Amino acid sequence: MILGSFIVGFLTLFGFAFCILPGLVVAAAQRFGAAEAVVDRNGPGGTTTRWTFAELADAIDEQAAALVASGIEPGDAVALWAPNIWEWTVSAFATLRAGGILVPINTRFKGGEAAFGLQQAVGVGHRGPCGDGCRPQCTALGNAGSANASAAGD
């Protein structure tokens, strides 16, 4: 506990008043506002998306509000299964901003592997809109993934 207090004091001393990720987003928006924060060149048709720190913070706040409005509460697990695109960044920080537990799912996973990760997330504290109904859905996803793997000869 002493080390934790030391780290908080050290970070505060050097201008990092917020030691959690959502707080760092806010601090970065205040400090670097109009500077480029995200450049994603993988948009539809080869388009490029650019976000300033201020725009990124606004998008994160907007999505966090949408997550809360959809029923996500502090401690709920939120799984993200997406490639390295700007939407993942916004979704990840919005999940944390809303108080959720971020559960990133590897994009190389097949159905059964993703199902395992989702089942583990349910045990972490998932409540969400489907409640316990997520377990059968995860099992179905796992079975579909196994069937697809068998059909593909994996």
Side-chain angles (χ1 to χ4, degrees):
M1 197 56 94
I2 293 173
L3 179 61
S5 298
F6 171 77
I7 291 170
V8 170
F10 180 79
L11 292 173
T12 303
L13 177 67
F14 288 96
F16 296 100
F18 300 96
C19 296
I20 56 174
L21 291 176
L24 288 174
V25 170
V26 171
Q30 291 171 348
R31 186 169 183 181
F32 304 113
E36 242 175 22
V38 174
V39 177
D40 182 354
R41 293 185 171 96
N42 298 316
T47 59
T48 299
T49 301
R50 296 176 182 277
W51 293 80
T52 65
F53 282 94
E55 292 168 336
L56 180 62
D58 289 344
I60 290 167
D61 285 346
E62 185 176 325
Q63 187 165 346
L67 287 170
V68 170
S70 73
I72 298 298
E73 294 181 356
D76 286 349
V78 177
L80 291 179
W81 193 5
N84 188 17
I85 55 177
W86 69 264
E87 292 94 340
W88 192 96
T89 303
V90 172
S91 297
F93 280 105
T95 296
L96 299 173
R97 181 92 167 148
I101 298 169
L102 177 62
V103 182
I105 305 293
N106 188 329
T107 56
R108 293 179 181 241
F109 281 177
K110 296 189 179 182
E113 296 165 322
F116 177 79
L118 293 171
Q119 288 169 342
Q120 296 302 306
V122 169
V124 171
H126 175 81
R127 187 198 53 78
C130 60
D132 289 335
C134 286
R135 286 185 187 271
Q137 292 168 354
C138 289
T139 302
L141 177 62
N143 292 339
S146 299
N148 291 342
S150 298
D154 288 343

